[in-house]
Amino acid sequence: MKGVVIVRGLLKDLPENELREAHDLLLANLKGPGRALGNTGHRAYRNVSNPRELMVIDTWENIGGAEKLMSNPDLPEHLGKFYDGTPEVAIWSQTDWDGYDH
């Protein structure tokens, strides 16, 4: 079953380059294992009204793979390098309702 993982929280009060480096290092370490489990995309978004808020959306061909990756016990430590506190993590399954991508 296809779906998305949404991770959302406030960023630490650190220089922009440190935040980006921590995010990009985590992504580099998870990209291979994630793809092997069905991850097909990753995008990071900043809230226009509150730039300290970061939302990451990962697309998945297999929600079971997302659940497996998100249950990695080391993940909270890595997220804690750029998120201030524990971010909200939600796994959403795709419906068969009408929709479009472009």
Side-chain angles (χ1 to χ4, degrees):
M1 174 182 318
K2 293 182 180 185
V4 297
V5 173
I6 300 173
V7 180
R8 184 176 169 182
L10 292 179
L11 293 169
K12 288 187 168 188
D13 188 17
L14 296 171
E16 179 73 21
N17 65 318
E18 289 182 33
L19 295 168
R20 178 184 283 207
E21 286 173 13
H23 166 270
D24 292 354
L25 179 61
L26 177 59
L27 180 60
N29 288 327
L30 292 180
K31 188 184 270 187
R35 285 194 173 165
L37 293 169
N39 181 233
T40 58
H42 174 94
R43 293 284 180 212
Y45 299 90
R46 300 287 281 271
N47 184 334
V48 173
S49 299
N50 180 2
R52 279 199 60 215
E53 188 174 6
L54 180 73
M55 178 177 66
V56 173
I57 301 175
D58 288 330
T59 52
W60 289 82
E61 288 293 320
N62 176 350
I63 288 297
E67 292 171 330
K68 183 173 182 177
L69 188 72
M70 296 309 292
S71 69
N72 180 328
D74 296 329
L75 190 56
E77 176 186 343
H78 293 292
L79 291 172
K81 292 179 181 175
F82 55 97
Y83 278 110
D84 188 11
T86 304
E88 177 185 341
V89 178
I91 300 175
W92 298 74
S93 62
Q94 183 173 317
T95 69
D96 60 355
W97 299 6
D98 260 350
Y100 64 92
D101 291 325
H102 300 279

